[in-house]
Amino acid sequence: MKPSQAVLLNADLLPIILSEFEENQDEMFLYLFVNKTWAATLVRLLWKAPIWNSPRSYKSFLRTLKRSNVTFAYGKLIRRLVFEPIKNREQPSFANEDLKLFSTKSGRLTHLTFGQTDNFFSAEAVSELVKNNQNLLGFAATKPCYNIEWLNIALSPVINGHCLKLSQLEIQNMRHFLIFMDYWPNGDYSDDAISQTRNLIKEIGFKCPIFALDINVHIDDEMANMIIQTFKNLKILHCETVSCSALKILLPYCKKLKWLSIAFSSENPTEDVQQDIGSQFPSLDALNLFLPPHDWSPFTKALAPNQTNLRRINLFGCDSVTDEAFLPIAKNCLRLEFIGLICCQLLTDASISVLARNVGKNLKNINICRIPKLTDVSIIEIANSCHNLEKFVLESCKKVTSRSLTLLVRKCKSLTELSGDYPRIIAAKIVSTLAVQGNTKLQVLQIHSRHDPDSNILEGKKYRRFDLGLLEKLAEKCPKLRELELKCYITGLYPNLLINALYKLRNLEKLFMEPRQNQKLNREHIMKLENHPRLKEVRFDGGCSEDAISYIKERSKNKKGMFIHKIDKLLQLTTYIYRKSIPSYKKDRYN
C-alpha cells in the first residue's frame, strides 16, 4: 500500500467502506488482513460472534493462538466467545486446556457463553478465564449440568469484584430441566439449590450493574422481592414462570423494563387481579407471553392501552386466547414490527385482519403457526396492508389457499424471507409466482410441501408444475437468494440440468433439496457442485448414487468439510457438503 493510500483509507472511513459488504461477508473478510489498522477496526465494528464451522477450522485457530510469532495478536481481537452447538455441523471438542489457552491469549472478552454442547468445562478453568477478562459485559451458562456448586466457583471472580462491568447474566440451572435429570446427572434441582442460586444472583446483582437477567426459575414472592431490591436498572427479564402475587410486587418497581418474557403459573386469577396486574405493566418494547388455559381478556384489556410503544410480541402456546383477548392488543399496539402467534388455536380472521390493518405500515416480521381457523381473509389483509413486510412464516394453517399466498408474494415487494409448509399444489404456485413476478430483495426461501388431497380438490388440478425450468426462472428473478430449501416434488430433476440450474443461483450459500431416487447425482456432479462460487452448505435428502456417497464419506474422513447423516432406520442417507468458508456470525440476543 502506498503512503497516500494509507492516509486516505484510515479507520474513520472503514465503516463506510465495510457497509457495502453487509450481504456478502466473504468479500468483507478478504480485506481483514490488509494491515493492522484494518484488522483491528474491522473486528471492533463487528457486532456478531465468529463461528467455527468445522473441527478443522477451530483446531487451526487454536494452533495459531499457540504460536509465538504471528502477524496479529489474534487472541486480543476476540470479543465474544460462544460454545454452542452448530446446526448440521459436527460438534467441536474443546478441552479445559483450550479454555486455559484463551485465558492467557484473550484478555479483552466482552461476552462469554457456555451453551448446550457436548463440552463440559471445569469450574476452575472457567473461573480463570472470567478473572482474566475484567471488561466482561455478558456471561451465560445454559447447560443444566452446570449446577450451583459449579456456578459458585466459575463466577467467583465476579463475586470478588473482578468484573465490575458485567451487565448481562443468563443462568439456566433450574427445575425447568427436570426432564433431563437422567441425561444431566450433575444437575441439582432441590429447593436448597434454588435458594443458593437465588443468593448467587443476589450477590452478583450487588456487585455489577446488571440490566439483562435471564433465569429459568419460577419467580415467587421471595424472588420478586430480591429482584426489586437488587436490580435497580433492570431492562430485560426472562424467567420460567411467575405467580400473580409476585407480579404485583415486581411490576411497580420495574419501570425501566423494556423486554419481558414470562409464563403465568397455573392459577386462575380473578378479573380484578388480572386488571390490577395488566395496568401495572411498564411500557415495553418486547413482550413474550405464555398464558395457561383461562379467560385472559380482562388482563389484555388492562395491559394493551399502556403498550403503545410495543415493537415485538410473541404469544406461544396460548390455547385459550380468544379474539376478545387479542383484539385489545391489535387495536392499541400500533407500532408492532414483529408478531409471533404460535398455537393460538382459538384466534380467527377477525383478530389477524384488525391487526394487519392497524399495524400494516410498521409490520416487518410475522410468524403464524397452527391457527386452524385462519383463512385467506387474514392473509389477503396482510398482503393489502403490510407492504413493508420483510419476513413471512406460515405453518400448519390448512384453510389458507394459494389465492391469498400468491397475492402476498406479488404485493409484498420488500420480502427478504419466505418460509412455510404448504400442500404440494400451493407450494408450486408460490414458487411459480416468484419465478414470474420476481423479487430482487428475497434472500431466504424455505418451502416444505406435503401431500394433501383435500387441497388438490380445493385448488383445482390445473397448475404450473414445479420443474427445473421454474428453478432457472427463480434464479433469474430472485438474484439475491442466499438460502434455498425446497422440500417438495420437482419434475424433470435430471442431475446435469440440476447442477447447471444451481450455478445460475450465483449468490446461493445454503441449499436443501430432495432429488428423486431414480435420478441420482454421482461423484462428478458432487465435485462440480463444490466449485460453485458461493455455496457453502448443501443437503440432498436422498438422490445420491453409491459412488457419490462414497466420495463424500472419503472427504469427510479427510476432514475436508463433508458430512453424512443418517436420517431414518432404513439407512436412507442425507448427504451434507460443506465448503471451507469464512466464519459466519450470530447476533447478540440483547442488542
Side-chain angles (χ1 to χ4, degrees):
M1 179 180 290
K2 297 179 181 179
S4 58
Q5 292 173 320
V7 172
L8 292 173
L9 298 177
N10 56 44
D12 296 331
L13 294 176
L14 283 177
I16 300 174
I17 297 171
L18 295 175
S19 65
E20 299 298 322
F21 298 102
E22 281 186 2
E23 295 178 1
N24 298 328
Q25 290 188 354
D26 303 39
E27 283 84 352
M28 181 171 65
F29 273 87
L30 291 176
Y31 298 91
L32 179 59
F33 302 116
V34 172
N35 61 33
K36 292 183 179 181
T37 301
W38 281 61
T41 306
L42 178 56
V43 173
R44 285 200 304 271
L45 288 171
L46 294 174
W47 49 263
K48 306 173 181 179
I51 296 177
W52 291 290
N53 287 331
S54 70
R56 185 184 182 189
S57 60
Y58 83 78
K59 287 180 179 178
S60 297
F61 185 79
L62 291 177
R63 284 196 300 269
T64 304
L65 281 185
K66 293 175 182 178
R67 293 172 56 189
S68 56
N69 57 339
V70 291
T71 304
F72 303 101
Y74 294 98
K76 293 182 180 179
L77 297 178
I78 301 174
R79 295 294 179 269
R80 303 172 187 268
L81 190 56
V82 180
F83 297 93
E84 287 184 340
I86 304 170
K87 185 179 180 181
N88 295 337
R89 298 295 203 279
E90 181 181 342
Q91 289 296 301
S93 178
F94 288 95
N96 288 317
E97 289 72 22
D98 299 326
L99 210 58
K100 292 178 181 178
L101 178 63
F102 282 114
S103 297
T104 58
K105 298 290 186 177
S106 305
R108 299 181 181 178
L109 292 178
T110 58
H111 293 79
L112 185 58
T113 298
F114 298 94
Q116 306 280 353
T117 68
D118 295 334
N119 300 287
F120 180 86
F121 297 107
S122 69
E124 291 77 12
V126 175
S127 176
E128 183 180 347
L129 181 59
V130 172
K131 185 176 181 180
N132 292 337
N133 288 272
Q134 298 189 12
N135 291 320
L136 203 63
L137 301 177
F139 179 89
T142 62
K143 194 171 183 177
C145 58
Y146 292 143
N147 56 25
I148 184 58
E149 288 78 16
W150 187 93
L151 288 168
N152 275 320
I153 297 172
L155 293 173
S156 58
V158 180
I159 299 171
N160 294 330
H162 289 283
C163 302
L164 296 179
K165 296 181 180 180
L166 191 71
S167 57
Q168 304 167 15
L169 179 65
E170 179 181 359
I171 53 176
Q172 299 184 8
N173 180 47
M174 310 299 178
R175 288 174 175 168
H176 175 76
F177 295 103
L178 188 61
I179 60 173
F180 297 110
M181 286 187 69
D182 293 336
Y183 188 70
W184 304 112
N186 294 326
D188 189 347
Y189 310 92
S190 63
D191 291 336
D192 182 58
I194 291 180
S195 176
Q196 290 184 52
T197 306
R198 183 187 297 121
N199 293 334
L200 173 65
I201 296 170
K202 184 177 181 180
E203 287 190 62
I204 294 174
F206 280 132
K207 292 283 185 180
C208 306
I210 302 292
F211 75 80
L213 186 62
D214 188 339
I215 48 176
N216 253 17
V217 65
H218 171 68
I219 296 183
D220 54 14
D221 293 1
E222 186 176 354
M223 177 67 82
N225 280 311
M226 184 275 288
I227 291 175
I228 64 174
Q229 293 170 12
T230 309
F231 302 95
K232 304 294 185 181
N233 298 305
L234 203 60
K235 296 180 181 180
I236 300 171
L237 176 62
H238 302 269
C239 70
E240 184 184 89
T241 56
V242 62
S243 66
C244 291
S245 59
L247 275 176
K248 284 186 176 182
I249 297 170
L250 195 65
L251 292 175
Y253 294 92
C254 293
K255 296 301 183 183
K256 295 183 179 180
L257 269 180
K258 292 300 178 184
W259 192 314
L260 182 60
S261 298
I262 57 172
F264 280 78
S265 55
S266 298
E267 52 184 301
N268 297 324
T270 64
E271 182 175 336
D272 291 340
V273 170
Q274 290 190 48
Q275 291 175 347
D276 187 21
I277 294 173
S279 62
Q280 292 188 48
F281 269 69
S283 180
L284 299 169
D285 290 336
L287 178 61
N288 299 327
L289 270 179
F290 173 80
L291 300 173
H294 191 59
D295 176 17
W296 292 98
S297 54
F299 166 71
T300 55
K301 288 176 181 178
L303 168 75
N306 194 38
Q307 302 306 318
T308 54
N309 294 318
L310 195 67
R311 292 182 297 108
R312 297 173 57 91
I313 189 168
N314 193 5
L315 301 181
F316 180 82
C318 300
D319 293 341
S320 61
V321 172
T322 61
D323 289 336
E324 184 182 2
F326 186 77
L327 281 171
I329 296 173
K331 293 177 180 178
N332 289 277
C333 305
L334 304 183
R335 295 188 180 182
L336 282 172
E337 297 176 8
F338 168 82
I339 299 167
L341 300 173
I342 314 298
C343 300
C344 299
Q345 300 190 29
L346 297 183
L347 290 185
T348 70
D349 291 323
S351 290
I352 310 302
S353 298
V354 170
L355 180 71
R357 286 194 294 270
N358 287 344
V359 304
K361 293 181 179 180
N362 295 317
L363 189 61
K364 295 180 179 179
N365 188 341
I366 186 166
N367 187 343
I368 300 175
C369 179
R370 295 189 181 182
I371 302 183
K373 297 182 180 180
L374 199 72
T375 71
D376 284 338
V377 172
S378 295
I379 309 302
I380 290 173
E381 194 63 58
I382 293 173
N384 290 328
S385 304
C386 307
H387 294 162
N388 295 319
L389 193 65
E390 296 177 0
K391 295 183 180 181
F392 180 78
V393 180
L394 182 72
E395 295 186 5
S396 301
C397 298
K398 294 185 176 181
K399 292 186 178 180
V400 176
T401 72
S402 63
R403 172 171 165 262
S404 61
L405 292 169
T406 53
L407 179 67
L408 184 137
V409 169
R410 290 197 299 270
K411 289 203 168 187
C412 297
K413 301 291 187 180
S414 297
L415 276 178
T416 60
E417 179 176 337
L418 178 63
S419 303
D421 73 316
Y422 310 100
R424 185 179 297 171
I425 187 171
I426 296 180
K429 287 186 177 181
I430 291 174
V431 178
S432 178
T433 303
L434 276 172
V436 174
Q437 180 75 22
N439 184 322
T440 57
K441 295 183 179 181
L442 191 66
Q443 298 182 29
V444 179
L445 179 62
Q446 298 176 336
I447 302 291
H448 291 202
S449 70
R450 61 181 186 273
H451 181 61
D452 190 345
D454 293 337
S455 294
N456 292 340
I457 296 173
L458 185 63
E459 295 280 335
K461 293 184 178 181
K462 291 184 179 181
Y463 68 98
R464 170 67 187 271
R465 286 191 173 185
F466 196 163
D467 56 19
L468 278 175
L470 205 57
L471 188 61
E472 291 180 339
K473 288 186 177 181
L474 189 67
E476 177 187 349
K477 295 291 187 176
C478 303
K480 289 190 177 181
L481 270 178
R482 293 185 299 105
E483 297 184 25
L484 181 61
E485 187 169 326
L486 297 175
K487 193 175 180 181
C488 48
Y489 182 81
I490 305 177
T491 61
L493 201 62
Y494 299 105
N496 287 325
L497 297 177
L498 172 62
I499 300 300
N500 291 336
L502 293 176
Y503 262 79
K504 294 181 180 180
L505 293 159
R506 303 298 293 175
N507 290 306
L508 193 63
E509 296 179 4
K510 292 185 179 182
L511 173 69
F512 176 22
M513 296 185 70
E514 288 185 316
R516 297 177 65 183
Q517 294 296 329
N518 61 346
Q519 296 172 336
K520 295 185 176 180
L521 298 165
N522 59 33
R523 179 189 182 103
E524 287 70 27
H525 297 131
I526 302 300
M527 293 176 68
K528 185 176 181 181
L529 194 58
E530 287 182 298
N531 293 321
H532 188 285
R534 300 192 58 81
L535 203 56
K536 300 180 179 68
E537 179 178 335
V538 177
R539 182 169 56 164
F540 288 126
D541 192 349
C544 285
S545 63
E546 291 296 328
D547 69 324
I549 294 174
S550 298
Y551 172 70
I552 295 171
K553 286 182 178 180
E554 177 186 345
R555 293 292 300 273
S556 180
K557 288 180 181 179
N558 293 331
K559 297 183 178 179
K560 293 186 178 180
M562 291 190 178
F563 300 88
I564 296 179
H565 178 59
K566 298 178 182 178
I567 63 170
D568 60 26
K569 296 181 180 179
L570 298 177
L571 300 182
Q572 179 183 4
L573 294 178
T574 299
T575 57
Y576 296 92
I577 308 166
Y578 298 113
R579 287 179 55 85
K580 182 180 178 182
S581 61
I582 302 297
S584 58
Y585 285 81
K586 178 182 176 182
K587 187 175 181 180
D588 179 31
R589 65 179 297 178
Y590 294 117
N591 286 346

